[in-house]
C-alpha cells in the first residue's frame, strides 16, 4: 500500500510539474509572440502598411516598400491608400528627410498627373506635408507650374483645388520660389472672387505670402482684377476673409514704403489692383470700417487717422502718399521732398480752374 501511495504522489507531482511547465510555456510563448509581432512589423508587406489601422511611425524600410508599391502597382485603391500613408508619415520631420533621401518625392509627384481626382488630391496632400522641409522644396518646385495649372483649370472649390492651393501656400512661405507664381496672379484673383468661403480663405493665404515680398509688389499691383474685389472690404464680409484682405492691403503698402520709390509714370493699367486699392471707392470703404463692431477689423482699417482736405490732395495724418490727377495715379512716395516736387508740378502746370478739378480727383492713401 505504501508503494502505491508513493507511486500516486509521484504521478501527482508529475502532473503538477507538467501543468507548471505548460503555464511557463504559455507565458513565455505569449511574450515571444508579442515580441515577434513588434519585431516582425517592419517586415510586413507594403500593402499591409496601407491599412488605416496601422498607426505606428514607419521606418526607412517600410517607407521604401511603400514607395516601391507606388511605382509598381496600377491598382487605384492601393495607390490612394499608399499615398495617404506616405502623406501621414511625412507629417514627421524625420520622415520628410528619409522620403527625400529614398527618392520618394518624384515618386509621389508623378501621381499628380493621374486622371483620378482622388489620387491627384492625395498626391498633392503628401507633397504638401513634404514641402514643410525647405530642402524638399527644391525638389518639389518642379511641380509648381503644373499645380498652378491644375488649381486654375480644375473644378472650382474641389478637393484638388484646395489641396493645390495649400501646397502653393507652403511653397511661398519663403521668397525663394514666389517668382514662379508671377504669371498666375491675375488668375488667382479670379479664383478668389469666384470661389466659396473656404477657397477664398486659401487663396488669400497664398496672396498674403506674396504680398510680404517687395519683389512681388509690382506683380500684385499690376494684376487685372475685377472691381467686385472691393466688395471684400465691406463690413458684412466674414471676419476671416475681411481681416485677410485688409492685411493684403497693409502688406502691399508696407512694401511700397520700404522701397521708398516714386512712380511718376506708373505702368499699371486701368483695371489693375493698383487702381482698385488706391481709388476713391476703396478709401471710402476703409473709412467706413473705422466704425466696424469688431476691434480687430478696426485696427486693420485706418487707425488714428483723419482725412483732411488739402489744397491739392486729401491728407491723411502720417503714412504714405498716392497722388491722383483726373482719376489717374501720377506718383506715390513717403518722402517729403518727393511730395513737394509733385505738388510743385501741380502748381506749375495747372491753372486755377484745372487745379480745382485736380483737387476733386486727388487722393492721399496711407500706409498702415
Amino acid at each position: 500500500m505504501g508503494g502505491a501511495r508513493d507511486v500516486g504522489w509521484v504521478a501527482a507531482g508529475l502532473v503538477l510539474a507538467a501543468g507548471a511547465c505548460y503555464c511557463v510555456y504559455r507565458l513565455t510563448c505569449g511574450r515571444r509572440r508579442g515580441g515577434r509581432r513588434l519585431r516582425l512589423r517592419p517586415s510586413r508587406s507594403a500593402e499591409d502598411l496601407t491599412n488605416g489601422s496601422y498607426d505606428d511611425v514607419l521606418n526607412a524600410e517600410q517607407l521604401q516598400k511603400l514607395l516601391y508599391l507606388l511605382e509598381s502597382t496600377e491598382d487605384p485603391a492601393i495607390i490612394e491608400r499608399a499615398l495617404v500613408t506616405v502623406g501621414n508619415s511625412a507629417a514627421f520631420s524625420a520622415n520628410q528627410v528619409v522620403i527625400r533621401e529614398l527618392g520618394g518625392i518624384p515618386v509621389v509627384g508623378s501621381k499628380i498627373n493621374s486622371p483620378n481626382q482622388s489620387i491627384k488630391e492625395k498626391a498633392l496632400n503628401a507633397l504638401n506635408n513634404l514641402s514643410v522641409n525647405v530642402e524638399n522644396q527644391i525638389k518639389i518646385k518642379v511641380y509648381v507650374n503644373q499645380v498652378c495649372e491644375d488649381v486654375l483649370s480644375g473644378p472650382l472649390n474641389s478637393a484638388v483645388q484646395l489641396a493645390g492651393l495649400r501646397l502653393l501656400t507652403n511653397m511661398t512661405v519663403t521668397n525663394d520660389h514666389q517668382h514662379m507664381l508671377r504669371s498666375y496672379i491675375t488668375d488667382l484673383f479670379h479664383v478668389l472672387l469666384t470661389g466659396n468661403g473656404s477657397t477664398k480663405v486659401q487663396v488669400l493665404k497664398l496672396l498674403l505670402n506674396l504680398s510680404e515680398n517687395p519683389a512681388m509688389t509690382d506683380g500684385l499691383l499690376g494684376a487685372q482684377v475685377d472691381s467686385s474685389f472691393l466688395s471684400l472690404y465691406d463690413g458684412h464680409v466674414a471676419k476671416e476673409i475681411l481681416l485677410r484682405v485688409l492685411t493684403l492691403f497693409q502688406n502691399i503698402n508696407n512694401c511700397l514704403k520700404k522701397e521708398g520709390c516714386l512712380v511718376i509714370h506708373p505702368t499699371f493699367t486701368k483695371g489693375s489692383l493698383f487702381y482698385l486699392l488706391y481709388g476713391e471707392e476703396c478709401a471710402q470703404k476703409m473709412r467706413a470700417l473705422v466704425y466696424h463692431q469688431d476691434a480687430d477689423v478696426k485696427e486693420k482699417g485706418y487707425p488714428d487717422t483723419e482725412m483732411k482736405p488739402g489744397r491739392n490732395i486729401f491728407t491723411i495724418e502720417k503714412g504714405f502718399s498716392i497722388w491722383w490727377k483726373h482719376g489717374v495715379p501720377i506718383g506715390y512716395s513717403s518722402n517729403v521732398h518727393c511730395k513737394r516736387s509733385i505738388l510743385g508740378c501741380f502748381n506749375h502746370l495747372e491753372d486755377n480752374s484745372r487745379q480745382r478739378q485736380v483737387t476733386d480727383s486727388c487722393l492721399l492713401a496711407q500706409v498702415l
Side-chain angles (χ1 to χ4, degrees):
M1 291 294 293
R5 277 199 303 270
D6 291 340
V7 172
W9 282 113
V10 170
L14 291 173
V15 171
L16 290 173
C21 290
Y22 178 75
C23 290
V24 171
Y25 167 80
R26 290 286 295 178
L27 289 173
T28 304
C29 183
R31 279 195 294 267
R32 285 178 178 173
R33 285 177 180 172
R36 185 159 55 247
R37 277 198 298 272
L38 290 175
R39 287 193 299 271
L40 288 179
R41 265 193 162 178
S43 298
R44 292 177 63 177
S45 70
E47 289 188 31
D48 288 342
L49 297 174
T50 65
N51 189 328
S53 63
Y54 189 84
D55 55 3
D56 287 358
V57 178
L58 303 184
N59 59 29
E61 179 188 351
Q62 293 168 320
L63 288 170
Q64 192 169 33
K65 286 184 177 182
L66 280 173
L67 295 173
Y68 175 76
L69 180 64
L70 279 174
E71 286 186 297
S72 60
T73 187
E74 296 183 0
D75 186 327
I78 294 176
I79 292 174
E80 188 173 339
R81 294 202 310 267
L83 285 170
V84 170
T85 305
V86 172
N88 290 341
S89 300
F92 299 93
S93 57
N95 282 348
Q96 293 162 9
V97 176
V98 172
I99 292 171
R100 181 184 73 243
E101 292 177 344
L102 290 173
I105 291 177
V107 174
V108 175
S110 66
K111 301 306 175 184
I112 67 174
N113 296 315
S114 174
N116 184 313
Q117 294 298 294
S118 184
I119 289 177
K120 184 186 292 283
E121 177 206 353
K122 301 306 186 297
L124 289 168
N125 287 337
L127 288 176
N128 182 46
N129 285 347
L130 287 166
S131 69
V132 175
N133 182 290
V134 176
E135 292 185 45
N136 286 356
Q137 289 190 359
I138 297 173
K139 293 185 175 295
I140 295 174
K141 71 178 182 179
V142 299
Y143 305 107
V144 166
N145 288 335
Q146 182 178 343
V147 174
C148 287
E149 295 292 340
D150 289 341
V151 163
L152 300 174
S153 63
L156 187 64
N157 306 320
S158 65
V160 169
Q161 186 177 67
L162 288 172
L165 287 169
R166 285 192 293 268
L167 174 57
L168 294 175
T169 301
N170 269 358
M171 291 294 292
T172 54
V173 169
T174 66
N175 298 346
D176 295 341
H177 313 297
Q178 291 184 358
H179 64 280
M180 301 181 70
L181 277 70
R182 183 178 292 272
S183 61
Y184 300 103
I185 293 177
T186 291
D187 293 320
L188 286 171
F189 274 103
H190 177 72
V191 174
L192 169 66
L193 296 179
T194 55
N196 61 19
S198 298
T199 300
K200 280 179 165 59
V201 169
Q202 199 59 56
V203 174
L204 283 169
K205 288 180 179 179
L206 172 56
L207 292 175
L208 283 175
N209 284 349
L210 302 181
S211 70
E212 292 177 349
N213 181 4
M216 297 297 295
T217 302
D218 62 333
L220 289 167
L221 290 176
Q224 292 295 300
V225 182
D226 189 84
S227 59
S228 61
F229 171 77
L230 292 180
S231 66
L232 298 180
Y233 288 95
D234 290 339
H236 61 78
V237 171
K239 179 179 176 180
E240 61 178 350
I241 294 174
L242 182 55
L243 285 177
R244 286 185 169 90
V245 292
L246 287 169
T247 303
L248 179 69
F249 195 1
Q250 178 179 348
N251 287 348
I252 290 174
N253 278 329
N254 287 341
C255 286
L256 290 175
K257 188 174 181 180
K258 288 177 183 177
E259 292 295 292
C261 56
L262 176 67
V263 178
I264 297 297
H265 302 291
T267 58
F268 307 123
T269 59
K270 279 199 170 184
S272 66
L273 182 65
F274 179 83
Y275 274 78
L276 293 179
L277 290 182
Y278 298 110
E280 186 175 354
E281 183 181 352
C282 187
Q284 291 174 351
K285 290 179 179 291
M286 291 289 190
R287 289 194 292 270
L289 292 177
V290 172
Y291 306 101
H292 198 279
Q293 60 183 359
D294 187 272
D296 293 332
V297 172
K298 288 182 181 179
E299 184 179 356
K300 290 285 185 183
Y302 279 159
D304 303 323
T305 62
E306 181 182 355
M307 297 293 285
K308 296 180 179 179
R311 181 176 59 173
N312 300 100
I313 53 179
F314 290 106
T315 304
I316 297 178
E317 296 292 327
K318 79 178 182 177
F320 191 81
S321 306
I322 301 267
W323 281 267
W324 296 77
K325 174 182 174 184
H326 309 309
V328 178
I330 65 168
Y332 54 86
S333 176
S334 59
N335 184 283
V336 173
H337 299 294
C338 291
K339 294 178 184 179
R340 291 174 179 169
S341 175
I342 293 177
L343 289 175
C345 290
F346 276 144
N347 293 329
H348 179 70
L349 297 175
E350 307 291 345
D351 58 22
N352 290 336
S353 61
R354 184 62 59 87
Q355 195 79 293
R356 285 193 296 272
Q357 296 176 17
V358 173
T359 301
D360 293 337
S361 64
C362 290
L363 172 67
L364 175 61
Q366 177 204 18
V367 173
L368 301 177

